[in-house]
Structure formats: C-alpha cells, structure tokens
Amino acid sequence: MKMRADVVIVGGGPAGLICGEHLAKAGLRVVVTDKRETPNREKPCGGMLTERAVKKFRISLDVAERELYGVAVSVGDKQFNVDYHERVGMNVDRTKLGLYLAERVEGEGGVIVRGEKVNEVLFSSQGVSCHGNGSYECDAVVFADGVFSLSRRSSGWKWRRDQLGLCVQYIIEVSEGNIDMLFGDRNFFYYGSEVSPFGYAWIFPRRNSLVVGVGALLSKVKVPLKNYLDHLVRGHPLVKPKLKGGRILKFETAVVPLSGLLKTICGERWIALGDAAGAVSAITGEGMYFAMESGRMGAETIIESYEEEWNCMTKYGERLRREIGGELKWSLWLRDLFLKRRGGESLDVTSKLLQRLVSDLLVGRKGCRRVILEALPLVALRRVRAVLR
Ligand SMILES: Cc1cc2nc3c(=O)[nH]c(=O)nc-3n(C[C@H](O)[C@H](O)[C@H](O)COP(=O)(O)OP(=O)(O)OC[C@H]3O[C@@H](n4cnc5c(N)ncnc54)[C@H](O)[C@@H]3O)c2cc1C
C-alpha cells in the first residue's frame, strides 16, 4: 500500500489517537498506523484514567469499567481511605479505550491503518517517508509508538535502568458482587519495602476483574519482581483475604518511562509524544493523561507549523516543557524523597492533611509542586515539635 498524507502518526495509543483526532478536526490529512489490529489492544496497564483526563478529553463513560470516588492507601502497616463527593476518575479497559479513540479519529476524517508496524522512517529535503508493509509519504511524522520508540533507534540512544519502571500484574477474575463489597469505588495503593523494592503495588477494580500489580524502578530490582507480586497476592495480610476465590486470568509485564521529559523530543519534521517523550509521572506512574496532553500540544504545534511552511515544529519541545515538564521533574524529586526510606514506610501518615494530599496526588487533583508546598507547614511543625520534646 502507498499513501500520501500531511502527517503520519506512528502508534495508536492515547497520545497518537488524541493527536490524530485534533489534526483531522483541523482539516489535515492524517494517517495513524498501529502494529496491532485494534490500536493499543491489550496494552498492559492499570487502566486508571484520572478525572482531569476524562474531562479535558471528553472520554465517554462507555469505556469505564468502574467509576472512582476514592482511594485506599496502605503505607507499611498504616492504612487510610479518602473518599470524595465527586468522581475522581475511572478504570478503563485499554482495548476498549483504543477502539473508542480510534473511532473518534475516523469520525473526524482521519485514517487508521491497523496491523501496520512501521520499521523505518526516512527524512529528506522533500519530506518524510515511513515504511512498514506499506509506504507513507508525509510532511511530518509523529512518534507516538511508546517506550521503545523508533525515534530513538537511529541515534542508538538507550534507556538507563534508573529511567525505567518495571511493572508486573495479574488480571484476576472476581464476581462483580465481591468487587462491589470489598473494593467499591476505590483504587487501592500499597507502599513499603515488602511490597516493592522502589515503587508501589496496586489493586484497581474493574467490573468483574481486578488489576493487581507491582511496579518498581528497574535499577532497584534485584530479584524477580513477580516474587513481590506473588507475595502480595498470596501472603499480604490485607490483600490475600480480598482475593479469596479469585481466578488469575492473565499475567502481564511491561516497562514505563520514569525519566521526566527526554532531552530530544522534536526536530524539524518530527515530534515524539507520550511514553516516547518520557511523559509519565515518576511518583504515580500516571501516563495516559500526560500522553493525551502531549498529543493535544503536538497537534496544536503541527497545525501552526503547517500554516507556517513547517518552520516551527521545535516549538513543541518548549511548550511541552513549559506545560508539563516542571510537573514531571517534581515527580522525580518527590518520588526519591518519599521512597528513599524503606519504600515510604517511615512517612507518618496519621495526619488527615497528609492523607488528603497523598490522595489528591494519586488521583491527579493536585500536582507534585502544590502537594510539596501544602505539606511544608506540616513538616516544619513536626520538626519544631521534635525539637521541643
Ligand atoms: C503495567 C502498567 C500499568 C500502568 N498503569 C497506568 C494507569 O493506571 N494509569 C495511567 O494513566 N497510566 C498507566 N501506565 C502508563 C500508561 O500505560 C502509558 O504512559 C500510556 O499508555 C502511554 O501512552 P502512549 O500513547 O504514549 O503509548 P502506548 O500506550 O504504549 O501506545 C503506543 C502504541 O504504538 C503502537 N506501536 C508501537 N510501535 C509501533 C510501530 N513501530 N509501528 C506502529 N505502531 C507501533 C503500539 O501497538 C501501541 O498501540 C501504566 C503502564 C504500565 C506498563
């Protein structure tokens, strides 16, 4: 197959599909290729989509496996719940989300080429050509192809182990009634050195299954991470009873960037989005919102560039850094501060204010910088009390 488009997007995850929708809506000829028959099919993911993403990108409730109104957090042997009066997000099935976002692209006149893996992207003075089974000529290319992006391949650039998170997870079938009773509309987070070497564990309930996973910074993983997952499922005093009668349907493993935005994320005729740009929060692992945001900003830059003879593509990098780069940097700093001491166990989470701040961070209601600023008086007060004692 040979095609010609204004823009080719390699990868139909949340980043590529949101970008494609915006571009098609603006009247550009867009082709999105995905190596899977259904874009983003079975992408290993917890599936927690925070409300800021749901609202900003008008995500339909049809893709919700469960709406969320709170979180339950365990730090070592301490636990707390925070519930909200309004929805704070939803747990989604990634295959359904991919189908839904792809339909939106097509609804705006964009073309999705399914089952097309792009192996090579060539740049010339005439433009760009992308090659897989077919060939696609275009003026600009968008790399939205995830963590092991083609955009890095030609330069030989490689991730360091301290820039990646390793995740392992089970999908466990449990009856809807049991999930309603034991998990309700909360996502569960577990911290501590027993749970993960440098990260956290999660249980995110769907309609009639649970996503139970463990994530850790790859450089800190010394024994198979699956051992931690099995210990969580079979030995953790809070988790084991909740999973009684559940049936493991699937084991998944994948990596996620925990680097902050990468140094080079655009060039004259290309931009990188989402995981391909390192756009994931290092402390929460939230990537879908940042992927969608990068897709939106990428599309807006391309539209501007299209009107300006393609001479301002590099504005994308400045813009992404300005709008989300700071938040991602703070997320690295906060993660190191929090997890450094026994995976967070030393944090005293008895204060209601701190519980609320942790929860707001996990559901994306507050960014890292704001959480740090609001926690400062509490930390100062504790220091003063300790001195006076
Ligand atoms: C286990 C795990 C749990 C997670 N849980 C959450 C969570 O609960 N909430 C959250 O917000 N984030 C979570 N994340 C992070 C989130 O999944 C990612 O940050 C997000 O999916 C990034 O979106 P993306 O569009 O950049 O890339 P991806 O979603 O990775 O999409 C890339 C797409 O490109 C396609 N592709 C790749 N190479 C090619 C090629 N050469 N040619 C054509 N197509 C190609 C792939 O098929 C895929 O569809 C999790 C990550 C992991 C690993």
Side-chain angles (χ1 to χ4, degrees):
M1 190 195 329
K2 270 197 164 184
M3 283 177 98
R4 163 88 215 161
D6 295 318
V7 180
V8 169
I9 300 175
V10 183
L17 293 171
I18 288 292
C19 184
E21 184 191 13
H22 277 69
L23 291 174
K25 200 171 181 176
L28 273 74
R29 289 174 302 159
V30 186
V31 171
V32 183
T33 76
D34 199 284
K35 63 182 180 185
R36 304 234 175 215
E37 282 302 328
T38 301
N40 227 209
R41 185 182 165 81
E42 292 182 1
K43 155 89 191 175
C45 184
M48 178 179 176
L49 193 62
T50 53
E51 195 61 17
R52 57 183 171 179
V54 174
K55 285 231 169 77
K56 191 157 191 179
F57 297 99
R58 297 171 292 103
I59 305 299
S60 162
L61 256 184
D62 292 349
V63 298
E65 285 286 310
R66 190 160 286 259
E67 293 178 68
L68 297 172
Y69 287 85
V71 296
V73 181
S74 303
V75 184
D77 55 3
K78 292 155 262 165
Q79 300 151 46
F80 64 88
N81 299 336
V82 176
D83 294 307
Y84 296 84
H85 296 298
E86 54 193 17
R87 197 176 66 196
V88 290
M90 51 167 85
N91 290 338
V92 300
D93 174 276
R94 289 296 298 263
T95 304
K96 270 194 204 160
L97 182 70
L99 272 170
Y100 162 76
L101 291 176
E103 269 173 24
R104 281 178 35 167
V105 176
E106 288 172 325
E108 295 295 346
V111 174
I112 310 270
V113 185
R114 295 168 168 83
E116 174 66 293
K117 181 174 181 191
V118 171
N119 298 312
E120 193 177 31
V121 176
L122 300 172
F123 295 88
S124 72
S125 51
Q126 278 88 50
V128 190
S129 57
C130 305
H131 304 277
N133 289 327
S135 292
Y136 307 85
E137 304 292 326
C138 56
D139 291 325
V141 63
V142 174
F143 293 101
D145 48 344
V147 59
F148 296 113
S149 172
L150 270 175
S151 59
R152 316 274 152 214
R153 227 166 276 172
S154 58
S155 64
W157 185 90
K158 286 208 169 65
W159 291 100
R160 294 194 319 260
R161 288 170 67 84
D162 64 352
Q163 291 180 313
L164 287 176
L166 176 65
C167 306
V168 289
Q169 59 181 27
Y170 284 130
I171 312 297
I172 302 184
E173 185 183 55
V174 180
S175 75
E176 193 169 348
N178 272 359
I179 296 184
D180 289 345
M181 192 170 65
L182 296 169
F183 298 92
D185 47 24
R186 292 185 191 129
N187 270 357
F188 285 62
F189 297 83
Y190 302 86
Y191 294 88
S193 50
E194 268 199 29
V195 168
S196 164
F198 199 83
Y200 70 93
W202 59 88
I203 303 184
F204 294 170
R206 297 181 181 176
R207 197 157 301 159
N208 41 28
S209 63
L210 301 167
V211 185
V212 184
V214 177
L217 195 66
L218 186 57
S219 57
K220 304 277 186 188
V221 178
K222 305 292 179 221
V223 295
L225 200 58
K226 189 168 178 292
N227 295 0
Y228 282 86
L229 179 62
D230 287 331
H231 175 71
L232 181 81
V233 169
R234 303 199 172 102
H236 193 288
L238 295 174
V239 175
K240 191 180 161 193
K242 281 186 183 295
L243 303 183
K244 210 172 154 206
R247 190 166 67 95
I248 294 177
L249 298 178
K250 203 174 176 192
F251 170 72
E252 300 177 325
T253 180
V255 292
V256 64
L258 299 177
S259 53
L261 285 183
L262 295 175
K263 209 168 152 199
T264 312
I265 49 178
C266 57
E268 254 176 55
R269 294 278 179 151
W270 68 274
I271 61 172
L273 309 177
D275 279 11
V280 178
S281 163
I283 185 151
T284 63
E286 180 179 14
M288 286 192 278
Y289 167 71
F290 295 107
M292 291 178 183
E293 274 290 67
S294 67
R296 172 186 66 80
M297 284 181 245
E300 286 168 5
T301 314
I302 289 174
I303 293 162
E304 195 186 328
S305 234
Y306 179 73
E307 286 157 4
E308 303 276 334
E309 303 288 322
W310 297 105
N311 65 8
C312 52
M313 288 285 276
T314 48
K315 278 191 185 167
Y316 165 73
E318 293 157 26
R319 186 158 179 204
L320 202 65
R321 273 179 222 293
R322 195 173 54 240
E323 293 196 26
I324 62 170
E327 174 59 18
L328 299 180
K329 250 190 203 162
W330 281 111
S331 77
L332 282 162
W333 185 82
L334 195 57
R335 176 201 65 189
D336 291 347
L337 183 79
F338 176 58
L339 294 178
K340 193 161 68 182
R341 288 182 220 106
R342 293 189 296 133
E345 271 173 65
S346 55
L347 186 74
D348 176 6
V349 285
T350 47
S351 139
K352 286 276 174 222
L353 171 66
L354 202 58
Q355 292 178 0
R356 183 73 187 207
L357 287 176
V358 169
S359 168
D360 283 352
L361 184 69
L362 290 172
V363 300
R365 280 166 78 102
K366 285 187 181 144
C368 292
R369 214 168 80 96
R370 196 158 152 212
V371 164
I372 294 163
L373 285 175
E374 290 185 23
L376 275 180
L378 191 74
V379 175
L381 191 69
R382 281 190 183 164
R383 289 255 159 94
V384 172
R385 277 203 193 127
V387 171
L388 293 178
R389 228 175 264 148

